[in-house]
Amino acid sequence: MITETGFPYDINLFKSQLKEAIEKELISPQEYEELTEEDFDSQQDLQVWLEELLSELP
């Protein structure tokens, strides 16, 4: 658990939640774009990006 201020406080919880979101495709390209202003052409492109993100987390 990370005890510093900021996000995420618990990296393992964040990774678990991200993994679930990837597996269940809980984040649509439109939702992701609204949050980040990054545009993905398809759900598959977003899934690949999220998997890469997950793999790079400590």
Side-chain angles (χ1 to χ4, degrees), residues 25 27 29 32 39-52:
E25 296 186 4
I27 305 170
Y32 194 81
D39 184 30
F40 289 90
D41 295 329
S42 69
Q43 183 70 39
Q44 183 61 30
D45 289 344
L46 175 58
Q47 292 299 110
V48 168
W49 163 247
L50 292 174
E51 289 171 6
E52 285 181 26

Side-chain angles (χ1 to χ4, degrees), residues 14-36:
F14 176 72
K15 288 168 59 174
S16 174
Q17 290 171 338
L18 180 57
K19 184 177 179 180
E20 179 180 10
I22 292 168
E23 289 172 353
K24 296 181 179 179
E25 296 186 4
L26 298 177
I27 305 170
S28 72
Q30 296 79 17
E31 291 169 322
Y32 194 81
E33 183 176 0
E34 289 174 13
L35 293 171
T36 66

